[in-house]
Structure formats: structure tokens, C-alpha cells
Amino acid sequence: MGNNILTNKEHYDSLYSKTQVQTVVDKAQSFEEFLDDAIQTDTSWHGLYAGNSRNRLKGKRILELGSGDGLNAIIMCLLGGDVTAIDISEVTEKIIKEVNRQVGTSVEALTGDFCLMEFKSESFDFIIGKAFLHHLTHELEFEYLKKVAKLLKREGEARFFEPAMNSKILDFIRWLIPVPGRPSLLNKRAFKEWKDNDPHPERDNSSQHYEKVGKLYFEEVQIAFIGSIERICRLIPAGKFNRRFRRWAHRIETRLPNWFRYLAARSQLIIFRAAHI
Ligand SMILES: C[S@@+](CC[C@H](N)C(=O)[O-])C[C@H]1O[C@@H](n2cnc3c(N)ncnc32)[C@H](O)[C@@H]1O
């Protein structure tokens, strides 16, 4: 196992061991209601499910990479998908198995390195990653996307929701402002301590990078810029007003010029289609 994979495994094994399975079960049991709210409000759900994709999953074979607490894999199954979920953390598999047992879903959960796992070529309609690719080094990302291209059906679609860093100035300002869980760059000692425990590798998360790497394996690459206004919510205390602000920000974003959305985006939805043969 490479260093990056091990770092992620240790970090997420420890994080998910604190996950309350009951919270995942509760959300799964009222998944329609959960999803209605999350798609309007929470950026990763808003981005991943853009374009009414919740209604495109029924009867489809779906692979999710980096499933985390397993909630999205479970929900895609409840929406009618035949879902396989992979994570490097063994806790994910345990959570999913327990939720399957309690909710009656049938997500296949696998633990380990995706590149070492065997699947039939062109066997998935969708390959999904929610906040996943940016956890890979560039070398690993090449390998993973090559395999994604091989496993997707000709008419299939890969969807990755990832952070976006398209403006060096904005990125620098971002590091200066402390947010819950991450101190300011100006607080040198605390920042170093945070950085030493951060599972993200040093890498390029610009839209240009994702477009370039995508074009190596796919004929079609589409990127939607998300969160140009919503990103301000990190400065607003958590609560009802914060959630209302986020819903408003997502709604008005579609009316803003694309150049602004590109520069100010906090996140992006990356869609790959039609693998090169
Ligand atoms: C930021 S979390 C996102 C989790 C989940 N998708 C979500 O949206 O809440 C990133 C996830 O990717 C997983 N991960 C990181 N590197 C991985 C790898 N090489 N193979 C599989 N999973 C990996 C981590 O264990 C973690 O669960």
C-alpha cells in the first residue's frame, strides 16, 4: 500500500470509528426527505445530484469510490441502483453492512485499493466519487481514472464532486481565514499541526487540471463550477440562517456569469463520458 493510501486509511479509520450508524440508518429511512433538503442545501449533494440525476439511477449498475460513511451508496441503492461501494477504510464496509441489515438495502461494500480489484470491463453505467479524487496523488489519480475509463459502459458516465481552486489569490486568502477545524496560515504552529494531520496530498485541484487529466481517458469532459457565493457560509455560524443562505446562494449562482463562477468556485462537478478506445 502506498504512503498516500495508508495516510488516508489511518485518518478515515479513526474518523469513521466515531460515526453513529444510527444517524446513517435514520437518514436512509427517510431518504426522500433527506435528499430533497440536502440537494438544495449541502454543496456536495447539490453538486453530485445536479441535473436531476437522482431519477437516472434506477436499474443502473453503479460503482462509488471513496464511500465514506456509506450514506450516498445506500441512498443510490434506495433510488433503485445496483451499487458497489469501495473505500480504503475498513470501517466503511462495516457501517454499510450494518445499514444494509437494518434498512434492507443490498449495497456491496469492498475495502481496499480500487486498482487491485477485478471487475469486468464496460460493466458500470455510473462511476461516482463524492469528495474523492482530490485525496489521490497525481500518480494514483492517473491509474484510477484509467481504470474508471475501462470499467464504464460506452454510454456510461463518471461523476466526481471535488473542491475547486481556480484563483491563486482567492486560495491564498482562504488559507488566511480560520474556519472550524482549520487554523489560519498566520497561526504558524497550529497550522503546521493541522497540516501534519491532513490526509490531502499536495496536488492540483484546478478545473484545468481535471479537464487535462480527463481528456487523457475520455472524449467528453464537462465541468460545472459550484459554490462561488455559497463559500461565504463558512463564515456564518452553523444553524438555520446558514442553511437558508446556502440554498439562496445555490439558486442565484446559476444567474452569474461563468467567468465569475469559474474563478470564485469552491467546488466543481466533473463529468467524464465516452472513454477513448
Ligand atoms: C472526504 S472523504 C468523502 C467521503 C464521502 N464520499 C462523502 O462525501 O462524505 C474521502 C473518502 O475517500 C476515501 N479514500 C481516500 N483514498 C482512497 C483510496 N485510494 N481508495 C479508496 N478510498 C479512498 C477515504 O477513506 C474517505 O472515505
PDB file of all heavy atoms in Angstrom, residues 4-5 8-9 12-13 16 44-45 64-70 72 86-89 92 112-114 129-132 134-136 140 144 200, ligand 1:
ATOM      1  N   ASN A   4       0.267   7.460   0.478  1.00  0.00           N
ATOM      2  CA  ASN A   4      -0.951   8.269   0.445  1.00  0.00           C
ATOM      3  C   ASN A   4      -2.164   7.447   0.851  1.00  0.00           C
ATOM      4  O   ASN A   4      -3.028   7.889   1.614  1.00  0.00           O
ATOM      5  CB  ASN A   4      -1.114   8.839  -0.975  1.00  0.00           C
ATOM      6  CG  ASN A   4      -2.489   9.412  -1.206  1.00  0.00           C
ATOM      7  OD1 ASN A   4      -3.344   8.765  -1.800  1.00  0.00           O
ATOM      8  ND2 ASN A   4      -2.715  10.606  -0.718  1.00  0.00           N
ATOM      9  N   ILE A   5      -2.215   6.202   0.371  1.00  0.00           N
ATOM     10  CA  ILE A   5      -3.349   5.331   0.690  1.00  0.00           C
ATOM     11  C   ILE A   5      -3.352   5.034   2.193  1.00  0.00           C
ATOM     12  O   ILE A   5      -4.379   5.110   2.854  1.00  0.00           O
ATOM     13  CB  ILE A   5      -3.299   4.042  -0.162  1.00  0.00           C
ATOM     14  CG1 ILE A   5      -3.518   4.397  -1.645  1.00  0.00           C
ATOM     15  CG2 ILE A   5      -4.319   3.029   0.307  1.00  0.00           C
ATOM     16  CD1 ILE A   5      -3.728   3.219  -2.570  1.00  0.00           C
ATOM     17  N   ASN A   8      -4.510   8.055   4.270  1.00  0.00           N
ATOM     18  CA  ASN A   8      -5.966   8.185   4.205  1.00  0.00           C
ATOM     19  C   ASN A   8      -6.649   7.113   5.039  1.00  0.00           C
ATOM     20  O   ASN A   8      -7.620   7.377   5.734  1.00  0.00           O
ATOM     21  CB  ASN A   8      -6.437   8.103   2.746  1.00  0.00           C
ATOM     22  CG  ASN A   8      -6.441   9.470   2.086  1.00  0.00           C
ATOM     23  OD1 ASN A   8      -7.405  10.210   2.200  1.00  0.00           O
ATOM     24  ND2 ASN A   8      -5.352   9.820   1.435  1.00  0.00           N
ATOM     25  N   LYS A   9      -6.115   5.895   4.944  1.00  0.00           N
ATOM     26  CA  LYS A   9      -6.736   4.782   5.676  1.00  0.00           C
ATOM     27  C   LYS A   9      -6.724   5.057   7.190  1.00  0.00           C
ATOM     28  O   LYS A   9      -7.753   4.960   7.859  1.00  0.00           O
ATOM     29  CB  LYS A   9      -6.012   3.473   5.356  1.00  0.00           C
ATOM     30  CG  LYS A   9      -6.601   2.297   6.085  1.00  0.00           C
ATOM     31  CD  LYS A   9      -5.971   0.989   5.672  1.00  0.00           C
ATOM     32  CE  LYS A   9      -6.266  -0.102   6.681  1.00  0.00           C
ATOM     33  NZ  LYS A   9      -7.609  -0.099   7.237  1.00  0.00           N
ATOM     34  N   TYR A  12      -9.104   8.035   8.075  1.00  0.00           N
ATOM     35  CA  TYR A  12     -10.548   7.770   7.966  1.00  0.00           C
ATOM     36  C   TYR A  12     -11.002   6.589   8.826  1.00  0.00           C
ATOM     37  O   TYR A  12     -12.147   6.574   9.271  1.00  0.00           O
ATOM     38  CB  TYR A  12     -10.963   7.638   6.491  1.00  0.00           C
ATOM     39  CG  TYR A  12     -11.023   9.016   5.869  1.00  0.00           C
ATOM     40  CD1 TYR A  12     -10.026   9.471   5.017  1.00  0.00           C
ATOM     41  CD2 TYR A  12     -12.057   9.893   6.176  1.00  0.00           C
ATOM     42  CE1 TYR A  12     -10.066  10.759   4.491  1.00  0.00           C
ATOM     43  CE2 TYR A  12     -12.106  11.171   5.667  1.00  0.00           C
ATOM     44  CZ  TYR A  12     -11.114  11.600   4.814  1.00  0.00           C
ATOM     45  OH  TYR A  12     -11.156  12.872   4.312  1.00  0.00           O
ATOM     46  N   ASP A  13     -10.110   5.623   9.084  1.00  0.00           N
ATOM     47  CA  ASP A  13     -10.485   4.560  10.039  1.00  0.00           C
ATOM     48  C   ASP A  13     -10.820   5.215  11.373  1.00  0.00           C
ATOM     49  O   ASP A  13     -11.827   4.884  12.007  1.00  0.00           O
ATOM     50  CB  ASP A  13      -9.328   3.571  10.242  1.00  0.00           C
ATOM     51  CG  ASP A  13      -9.315   2.471   9.185  1.00  0.00           C
ATOM     52  OD1 ASP A  13     -10.309   2.358   8.449  1.00  0.00           O
ATOM     53  OD2 ASP A  13      -8.310   1.743   9.087  1.00  0.00           O
ATOM     54  N   TYR A  16     -14.171   7.522  10.993  1.00  0.00           N
ATOM     55  CA  TYR A  16     -15.445   6.799  10.850  1.00  0.00           C
ATOM     56  C   TYR A  16     -15.737   5.883  12.040  1.00  0.00           C
ATOM     57  O   TYR A  16     -16.879   5.464  12.220  1.00  0.00           O
ATOM     58  CB  TYR A  16     -15.486   6.005   9.545  1.00  0.00           C
ATOM     59  CG  TYR A  16     -15.374   6.876   8.307  1.00  0.00           C
ATOM     60  CD1 TYR A  16     -14.610   6.475   7.214  1.00  0.00           C
ATOM     61  CD2 TYR A  16     -16.020   8.106   8.239  1.00  0.00           C
ATOM     62  CE1 TYR A  16     -14.493   7.278   6.091  1.00  0.00           C
ATOM     63  CE2 TYR A  16     -15.903   8.914   7.121  1.00  0.00           C
ATOM     64  CZ  TYR A  16     -15.140   8.496   6.057  1.00  0.00           C
ATOM     65  OH  TYR A  16     -15.024   9.287   4.953  1.00  0.00           O
ATOM     66  N   SER A  44     -22.012  19.302  -1.534  1.00  0.00           N
ATOM     67  CA  SER A  44     -21.580  18.071  -2.213  1.00  0.00           C
ATOM     68  C   SER A  44     -22.790  17.328  -2.797  1.00  0.00           C
ATOM     69  O   SER A  44     -22.712  16.759  -3.890  1.00  0.00           O
ATOM     70  CB  SER A  44     -20.779  17.173  -1.268  1.00  0.00           C
ATOM     71  OG  SER A  44     -21.598  16.668  -0.246  1.00  0.00           O
ATOM     72  N   TRP A  45     -23.927  17.368  -2.112  1.00  0.00           N
ATOM     73  CA  TRP A  45     -25.138  16.712  -2.622  1.00  0.00           C
ATOM     74  C   TRP A  45     -25.731  17.541  -3.752  1.00  0.00           C
ATOM     75  O   TRP A  45     -26.167  17.003  -4.778  1.00  0.00           O
ATOM     76  CB  TRP A  45     -26.163  16.516  -1.491  1.00  0.00           C
ATOM     77  CG  TRP A  45     -25.688  15.596  -0.411  1.00  0.00           C
ATOM     78  CD1 TRP A  45     -24.958  15.946   0.687  1.00  0.00           C
ATOM     79  CD2 TRP A  45     -25.862  14.170  -0.337  1.00  0.00           C
ATOM     80  NE1 TRP A  45     -24.683  14.832   1.449  1.00  0.00           N
ATOM     81  CE2 TRP A  45     -25.229  13.736   0.853  1.00  0.00           C
ATOM     82  CE3 TRP A  45     -26.497  13.231  -1.150  1.00  0.00           C
ATOM     83  CZ2 TRP A  45     -25.214  12.391   1.245  1.00  0.00           C
ATOM     84  CZ3 TRP A  45     -26.485  11.893  -0.755  1.00  0.00           C
ATOM     85  CH2 TRP A  45     -25.840  11.494   0.416  1.00  0.00           C
ATOM     86  N   GLU A  64     -19.310   3.283  -6.553  1.00  0.00           N
ATOM     87  CA  GLU A  64     -18.899   4.509  -5.855  1.00  0.00           C
ATOM     88  C   GLU A  64     -17.509   4.327  -5.274  1.00  0.00           C
ATOM     89  O   GLU A  64     -17.237   3.322  -4.603  1.00  0.00           O
ATOM     90  CB  GLU A  64     -19.871   4.902  -4.735  1.00  0.00           C
ATOM     91  CG  GLU A  64     -19.430   6.254  -4.136  1.00  0.00           C
ATOM     92  CD  GLU A  64     -20.322   6.800  -3.033  1.00  0.00           C
ATOM     93  OE1 GLU A  64     -20.614   6.054  -2.088  1.00  0.00           O
ATOM     94  OE2 GLU A  64     -20.709   7.972  -3.129  1.00  0.00           O
ATOM     95  N   LEU A  65     -16.644   5.300  -5.517  1.00  0.00           N
ATOM     96  CA  LEU A  65     -15.279   5.267  -4.979  1.00  0.00           C
ATOM     97  C   LEU A  65     -15.188   6.222  -3.792  1.00  0.00           C
ATOM     98  O   LEU A  65     -15.641   7.364  -3.879  1.00  0.00           O
ATOM     99  CB  LEU A  65     -14.282   5.697  -6.064  1.00  0.00           C
ATOM    100  CG  LEU A  65     -14.301   4.854  -7.345  1.00  0.00           C
ATOM    101  CD1 LEU A  65     -13.405   5.469  -8.421  1.00  0.00           C
ATOM    102  CD2 LEU A  65     -13.869   3.427  -7.064  1.00  0.00           C
ATOM    103  N   GLY A  66     -14.612   5.761  -2.696  1.00  0.00           N
ATOM    104  CA  GLY A  66     -14.466   6.613  -1.503  1.00  0.00           C
ATOM    105  C   GLY A  66     -15.803   6.897  -0.854  1.00  0.00           C
ATOM    106  O   GLY A  66     -16.209   8.056  -0.705  1.00  0.00           O
ATOM    107  N   SER A  67     -16.488   5.840  -0.422  1.00  0.00           N
ATOM    108  CA  SER A  67     -17.881   5.989   0.041  1.00  0.00           C
ATOM    109  C   SER A  67     -18.039   6.581   1.434  1.00  0.00           C
ATOM    110  O   SER A  67     -19.145   6.909   1.836  1.00  0.00           O
ATOM    111  CB  SER A  67     -18.578   4.624   0.012  1.00  0.00           C
ATOM    112  OG  SER A  67     -18.684   4.207  -1.322  1.00  0.00           O
ATOM    113  N   GLY A  68     -16.961   6.680   2.188  1.00  0.00           N
ATOM    114  CA  GLY A  68     -17.031   7.364   3.492  1.00  0.00           C
ATOM    115  C   GLY A  68     -17.965   6.673   4.470  1.00  0.00           C
ATOM    116  O   GLY A  68     -17.835   5.483   4.752  1.00  0.00           O
ATOM    117  N   ASP A  69     -18.960   7.427   4.952  1.00  0.00           N
ATOM    118  CA  ASP A  69     -19.899   6.823   5.916  1.00  0.00           C
ATOM    119  C   ASP A  69     -20.946   5.956   5.215  1.00  0.00           C
ATOM    120  O   ASP A  69     -21.829   5.400   5.862  1.00  0.00           O
ATOM    121  CB  ASP A  69     -20.567   7.887   6.790  1.00  0.00           C
ATOM    122  CG  ASP A  69     -21.484   8.825   5.990  1.00  0.00           C
ATOM    123  OD1 ASP A  69     -21.677   8.606   4.782  1.00  0.00           O
ATOM    124  OD2 ASP A  69     -22.006   9.784   6.596  1.00  0.00           O
ATOM    125  N   GLY A  70     -20.864   5.857   3.914  1.00  0.00           N
ATOM    126  CA  GLY A  70     -21.721   4.939   3.155  1.00  0.00           C
ATOM    127  C   GLY A  70     -23.096   5.494   2.799  1.00  0.00           C
ATOM    128  O   GLY A  70     -23.840   4.872   2.039  1.00  0.00           O
ATOM    129  N   ASN A  72     -24.248   7.908   0.846  1.00  0.00           N
ATOM    130  CA  ASN A  72     -24.606   8.112  -0.566  1.00  0.00           C
ATOM    131  C   ASN A  72     -24.804   6.780  -1.291  1.00  0.00           C
ATOM    132  O   ASN A  72     -25.717   6.632  -2.105  1.00  0.00           O
ATOM    133  CB  ASN A  72     -23.553   8.967  -1.277  1.00  0.00           C
ATOM    134  CG  ASN A  72     -23.994   9.299  -2.692  1.00  0.00           C
ATOM    135  OD1 ASN A  72     -25.125   9.718  -2.921  1.00  0.00           O
ATOM    136  ND2 ASN A  72     -23.118   9.060  -3.652  1.00  0.00           N
ATOM    137  N   ILE A  86     -16.720   1.258  -2.672  1.00  0.00           N
ATOM    138  CA  ILE A  86     -15.333   0.956  -2.277  1.00  0.00           C
ATOM    139  C   ILE A  86     -14.793   2.074  -1.396  1.00  0.00           C
ATOM    140  O   ILE A  86     -15.005   3.254  -1.685  1.00  0.00           O
ATOM    141  CB  ILE A  86     -14.421   0.844  -3.525  1.00  0.00           C
ATOM    142  CG1 ILE A  86     -14.891  -0.273  -4.440  1.00  0.00           C
ATOM    143  CG2 ILE A  86     -12.960   0.634  -3.117  1.00  0.00           C
ATOM    144  CD1 ILE A  86     -14.076  -0.396  -5.723  1.00  0.00           C
ATOM    145  N   ASP A  87     -14.094   1.691  -0.355  1.00  0.00           N
ATOM    146  CA  ASP A  87     -13.333   2.687   0.419  1.00  0.00           C
ATOM    147  C   ASP A  87     -12.073   2.018   0.940  1.00  0.00           C
ATOM    148  O   ASP A  87     -12.036   0.802   1.120  1.00  0.00           O
ATOM    149  CB  ASP A  87     -14.154   3.266   1.577  1.00  0.00           C
ATOM    150  CG  ASP A  87     -13.625   4.636   2.001  1.00  0.00           C
ATOM    151  OD1 ASP A  87     -12.558   4.686   2.658  1.00  0.00           O
ATOM    152  OD2 ASP A  87     -14.247   5.658   1.659  1.00  0.00           O
ATOM    153  N   ILE A  88     -11.078   2.850   1.178  1.00  0.00           N
ATOM    154  CA  ILE A  88      -9.838   2.329   1.722  1.00  0.00           C
ATOM    155  C   ILE A  88      -9.991   2.062   3.230  1.00  0.00           C
ATOM    156  O   ILE A  88      -9.231   1.299   3.822  1.00  0.00           O
ATOM    157  CB  ILE A  88      -8.682   3.333   1.427  1.00  0.00           C
ATOM    158  CG1 ILE A  88      -7.343   2.642   1.503  1.00  0.00           C
ATOM    159  CG2 ILE A  88      -8.742   4.568   2.290  1.00  0.00           C
ATOM    160  CD1 ILE A  88      -7.124   1.626   0.448  1.00  0.00           C
ATOM    161  N   SER A  89     -10.988   2.699   3.833  1.00  0.00           N
ATOM    162  CA  SER A  89     -11.236   2.484   5.263  1.00  0.00           C
ATOM    163  C   SER A  89     -12.109   1.249   5.463  1.00  0.00           C
ATOM    164  O   SER A  89     -13.180   1.130   4.864  1.00  0.00           O
ATOM    165  CB  SER A  89     -11.926   3.705   5.871  1.00  0.00           C
ATOM    166  OG  SER A  89     -12.451   3.358   7.135  1.00  0.00           O
ATOM    167  N   THR A  92     -15.850   1.752   6.703  1.00  0.00           N
ATOM    168  CA  THR A  92     -16.941   1.991   5.735  1.00  0.00           C
ATOM    169  C   THR A  92     -17.706   0.697   5.459  1.00  0.00           C
ATOM    170  O   THR A  92     -18.936   0.660   5.478  1.00  0.00           O
ATOM    171  CB  THR A  92     -16.349   2.541   4.405  1.00  0.00           C
ATOM    172  OG1 THR A  92     -15.698   3.766   4.687  1.00  0.00           O
ATOM    173  CG2 THR A  92     -17.429   2.767   3.370  1.00  0.00           C
ATOM    174  N   GLY A 112     -10.360  -1.567   0.213  1.00  0.00           N
ATOM    175  CA  GLY A 112      -9.035  -1.747  -0.365  1.00  0.00           C
ATOM    176  C   GLY A 112      -8.752  -0.796  -1.496  1.00  0.00           C
ATOM    177  O   GLY A 112      -9.459   0.183  -1.719  1.00  0.00           O
ATOM    178  N   ASP A 113      -7.684  -1.128  -2.232  1.00  0.00           N
ATOM    179  CA  ASP A 113      -7.208  -0.295  -3.336  1.00  0.00           C
ATOM    180  C   ASP A 113      -7.956  -0.690  -4.611  1.00  0.00           C
ATOM    181  O   ASP A 113      -7.826  -1.823  -5.096  1.00  0.00           O
ATOM    182  CB  ASP A 113      -5.692  -0.518  -3.484  1.00  0.00           C
ATOM    183  CG  ASP A 113      -5.069   0.342  -4.562  1.00  0.00           C
ATOM    184  OD1 ASP A 113      -5.826   0.995  -5.328  1.00  0.00           O
ATOM    185  OD2 ASP A 113      -3.830   0.355  -4.653  1.00  0.00           O
ATOM    186  N   PHE A 114      -8.724   0.228  -5.139  1.00  0.00           N
ATOM    187  CA  PHE A 114      -9.530   0.021  -6.344  1.00  0.00           C
ATOM    188  C   PHE A 114      -8.706  -0.608  -7.487  1.00  0.00           C
ATOM    189  O   PHE A 114      -9.179  -1.486  -8.210  1.00  0.00           O
ATOM    190  CB  PHE A 114     -10.075   1.404  -6.740  1.00  0.00           C
ATOM    191  CG  PHE A 114     -10.737   1.519  -8.072  1.00  0.00           C
ATOM    192  CD1 PHE A 114     -11.764   0.673  -8.439  1.00  0.00           C
ATOM    193  CD2 PHE A 114     -10.353   2.532  -8.955  1.00  0.00           C
ATOM    194  CE1 PHE A 114     -12.408   0.813  -9.670  1.00  0.00           C
ATOM    195  CE2 PHE A 114     -10.985   2.681 -10.176  1.00  0.00           C
ATOM    196  CZ  PHE A 114     -12.008   1.819 -10.530  1.00  0.00           C
ATOM    197  N   GLY A 129     -17.817   9.609  -7.474  1.00  0.00           N
ATOM    198  CA  GLY A 129     -16.925   9.919  -6.351  1.00  0.00           C
ATOM    199  C   GLY A 129     -17.354  11.240  -5.749  1.00  0.00           C
ATOM    200  O   GLY A 129     -17.464  12.243  -6.460  1.00  0.00           O
ATOM    201  N   LYS A 130     -17.644  11.232  -4.456  1.00  0.00           N
ATOM    202  CA  LYS A 130     -18.045  12.484  -3.791  1.00  0.00           C
ATOM    203  C   LYS A 130     -16.899  12.874  -2.871  1.00  0.00           C
ATOM    204  O   LYS A 130     -16.643  12.204  -1.880  1.00  0.00           O
ATOM    205  CB  LYS A 130     -19.364  12.266  -3.023  1.00  0.00           C
ATOM    206  CG  LYS A 130     -19.929  13.535  -2.420  1.00  0.00           C
ATOM    207  CD  LYS A 130     -21.438  13.477  -2.269  1.00  0.00           C
ATOM    208  CE  LYS A 130     -21.949  12.870  -0.997  1.00  0.00           C
ATOM    209  NZ  LYS A 130     -21.541  13.550   0.244  1.00  0.00           N
ATOM    210  N   ALA A 131     -16.179  13.953  -3.257  1.00  0.00           N
ATOM    211  CA  ALA A 131     -15.003  14.405  -2.498  1.00  0.00           C
ATOM    212  C   ALA A 131     -13.966  13.289  -2.412  1.00  0.00           C
ATOM    213  O   ALA A 131     -13.494  12.935  -1.325  1.00  0.00           O
ATOM    214  CB  ALA A 131     -15.406  14.888  -1.103  1.00  0.00           C
ATOM    215  N   PHE A 132     -13.632  12.707  -3.559  1.00  0.00           N
ATOM    216  CA  PHE A 132     -12.738  11.544  -3.583  1.00  0.00           C
ATOM    217  C   PHE A 132     -11.414  11.797  -4.327  1.00  0.00           C
ATOM    218  O   PHE A 132     -10.336  11.593  -3.766  1.00  0.00           O
ATOM    219  CB  PHE A 132     -13.470  10.356  -4.215  1.00  0.00           C
ATOM    220  CG  PHE A 132     -12.578   9.197  -4.489  1.00  0.00           C
ATOM    221  CD1 PHE A 132     -12.058   8.453  -3.443  1.00  0.00           C
ATOM    222  CD2 PHE A 132     -12.211   8.852  -5.780  1.00  0.00           C
ATOM    223  CE1 PHE A 132     -11.185   7.397  -3.673  1.00  0.00           C
ATOM    224  CE2 PHE A 132     -11.347   7.790  -6.026  1.00  0.00           C
ATOM    225  CZ  PHE A 132     -10.834   7.070  -4.969  1.00  0.00           C
ATOM    226  N   HIS A 134      -9.605  14.268  -5.066  1.00  0.00           N
ATOM    227  CA  HIS A 134      -8.596  15.175  -4.501  1.00  0.00           C
ATOM    228  C   HIS A 134      -7.830  14.533  -3.341  1.00  0.00           C
ATOM    229  O   HIS A 134      -6.890  15.132  -2.825  1.00  0.00           O
ATOM    230  CB  HIS A 134      -9.230  16.517  -4.095  1.00  0.00           C
ATOM    231  CG  HIS A 134     -10.039  16.468  -2.846  1.00  0.00           C
ATOM    232  ND1 HIS A 134     -11.280  15.869  -2.777  1.00  0.00           N
ATOM    233  CD2 HIS A 134      -9.774  16.928  -1.588  1.00  0.00           C
ATOM    234  CE1 HIS A 134     -11.744  15.985  -1.548  1.00  0.00           C
ATOM    235  NE2 HIS A 134     -10.866  16.617  -0.806  1.00  0.00           N
ATOM    236  N   HIS A 135      -8.230  13.320  -2.954  1.00  0.00           N
ATOM    237  CA  HIS A 135      -7.469  12.588  -1.931  1.00  0.00           C
ATOM    238  C   HIS A 135      -6.357  11.743  -2.545  1.00  0.00           C
ATOM    239  O   HIS A 135      -5.589  11.106  -1.826  1.00  0.00           O
ATOM    240  CB  HIS A 135      -8.394  11.683  -1.113  1.00  0.00           C
ATOM    241  CG  HIS A 135      -9.109  12.432  -0.043  1.00  0.00           C
ATOM    242  ND1 HIS A 135      -8.615  12.575   1.230  1.00  0.00           N
ATOM    243  CD2 HIS A 135     -10.257  13.127  -0.080  1.00  0.00           C
ATOM    244  CE1 HIS A 135      -9.440  13.314   1.945  1.00  0.00           C
ATOM    245  NE2 HIS A 135     -10.447  13.665   1.172  1.00  0.00           N
ATOM    246  N   LEU A 136      -6.298  11.707  -3.878  1.00  0.00           N
ATOM    247  CA  LEU A 136      -5.297  10.870  -4.552  1.00  0.00           C
ATOM    248  C   LEU A 136      -4.107  11.717  -4.991  1.00  0.00           C
ATOM    249  O   LEU A 136      -4.291  12.866  -5.407  1.00  0.00           O
ATOM    250  CB  LEU A 136      -5.909  10.216  -5.795  1.00  0.00           C
ATOM    251  CG  LEU A 136      -7.228   9.455  -5.610  1.00  0.00           C
ATOM    252  CD1 LEU A 136      -7.702   8.912  -6.959  1.00  0.00           C
ATOM    253  CD2 LEU A 136      -7.068   8.319  -4.601  1.00  0.00           C
ATOM    254  N   LEU A 140      -1.610   8.325  -8.575  1.00  0.00           N
ATOM    255  CA  LEU A 140      -2.726   7.420  -8.280  1.00  0.00           C
ATOM    256  C   LEU A 140      -3.971   7.815  -9.084  1.00  0.00           C
ATOM    257  O   LEU A 140      -4.719   6.961  -9.567  1.00  0.00           O
ATOM    258  CB  LEU A 140      -3.026   7.516  -6.771  1.00  0.00           C
ATOM    259  CG  LEU A 140      -3.546   6.269  -6.068  1.00  0.00           C
ATOM    260  CD1 LEU A 140      -2.668   5.079  -6.335  1.00  0.00           C
ATOM    261  CD2 LEU A 140      -3.604   6.525  -4.555  1.00  0.00           C
ATOM    262  N   TYR A 144      -6.277   5.453 -11.367  1.00  0.00           N
ATOM    263  CA  TYR A 144      -7.697   5.259 -11.044  1.00  0.00           C
ATOM    264  C   TYR A 144      -8.575   5.664 -12.226  1.00  0.00           C
ATOM    265  O   TYR A 144      -9.525   4.962 -12.572  1.00  0.00           O
ATOM    266  CB  TYR A 144      -8.079   6.058  -9.780  1.00  0.00           C
ATOM    267  CG  TYR A 144      -7.784   5.334  -8.475  1.00  0.00           C
ATOM    268  CD1 TYR A 144      -6.633   4.577  -8.316  1.00  0.00           C
ATOM    269  CD2 TYR A 144      -8.650   5.424  -7.400  1.00  0.00           C
ATOM    270  CE1 TYR A 144      -6.364   3.925  -7.117  1.00  0.00           C
ATOM    271  CE2 TYR A 144      -8.383   4.771  -6.187  1.00  0.00           C
ATOM    272  CZ  TYR A 144      -7.241   4.025  -6.061  1.00  0.00           C
ATOM    273  OH  TYR A 144      -6.976   3.366  -4.877  1.00  0.00           O
ATOM    274  N   HIS A 200      -4.941  15.146   2.900  1.00  0.00           N
ATOM    275  CA  HIS A 200      -4.917  15.534   1.478  1.00  0.00           C
ATOM    276  C   HIS A 200      -3.487  15.639   0.963  1.00  0.00           C
ATOM    277  O   HIS A 200      -2.663  16.298   1.591  1.00  0.00           O
ATOM    278  CB  HIS A 200      -5.583  16.900   1.277  1.00  0.00           C
ATOM    279  CG  HIS A 200      -7.010  16.928   1.698  1.00  0.00           C
ATOM    280  ND1 HIS A 200      -7.407  17.337   2.948  1.00  0.00           N
ATOM    281  CD2 HIS A 200      -8.132  16.583   1.037  1.00  0.00           C
ATOM    282  CE1 HIS A 200      -8.720  17.256   3.032  1.00  0.00           C
ATOM    283  NE2 HIS A 200      -9.194  16.780   1.893  1.00  0.00           N
TER     284      HIS A 200
HETATM  285  C1  LIG B   1     -13.549  13.417   2.003  1.00  0.00           C
HETATM  286  S1  LIG B   1     -13.972  11.743   2.245  1.00  0.00           S
HETATM  287  C2  LIG B   1     -15.505  11.658   1.354  1.00  0.00           C
HETATM  288  C3  LIG B   1     -16.393  10.566   1.838  1.00  0.00           C
HETATM  289  C4  LIG B   1     -17.785  10.515   1.203  1.00  0.00           C
HETATM  290  N1  LIG B   1     -17.718  10.263  -0.210  1.00  0.00           N
HETATM  291  C5  LIG B   1     -18.554  11.779   1.496  1.00  0.00           C
HETATM  292  O1  LIG B   1     -18.879  12.520   0.564  1.00  0.00           O
HETATM  293  O2  LIG B   1     -18.834  12.043   2.668  1.00  0.00           O
HETATM  294  C6  LIG B   1     -12.839  10.871   1.183  1.00  0.00           C
HETATM  295  C7  LIG B   1     -13.000   9.376   1.234  1.00  0.00           C
HETATM  296  O3  LIG B   1     -12.130   8.761   0.289  1.00  0.00           O
HETATM  297  C8  LIG B   1     -11.544   7.609   0.890  1.00  0.00           C
HETATM  298  N2  LIG B   1     -10.286   7.326   0.191  1.00  0.00           N
HETATM  299  C9  LIG B   1      -9.157   8.063   0.174  1.00  0.00           C
HETATM  300  N3  LIG B   1      -8.228   7.480  -0.622  1.00  0.00           N
HETATM  301  C10 LIG B   1      -8.800   6.349  -1.093  1.00  0.00           C
HETATM  302  C11 LIG B   1      -8.365   5.315  -1.972  1.00  0.00           C
HETATM  303  N4  LIG B   1      -7.168   5.324  -2.526  1.00  0.00           N
HETATM  304  N5  LIG B   1      -9.231   4.319  -2.274  1.00  0.00           N
HETATM  305  C12 LIG B   1     -10.488   4.303  -1.731  1.00  0.00           C
HETATM  306  N6  LIG B   1     -10.941   5.232  -0.883  1.00  0.00           N
HETATM  307  C13 LIG B   1     -10.118   6.248  -0.577  1.00  0.00           C
HETATM  308  C14 LIG B   1     -11.386   7.991   2.341  1.00  0.00           C
HETATM  309  O4  LIG B   1     -11.236   6.865   3.180  1.00  0.00           O
HETATM  310  C15 LIG B   1     -12.673   8.762   2.580  1.00  0.00           C
HETATM  311  O5  LIG B   1     -13.707   7.910   2.951  1.00  0.00           O
END
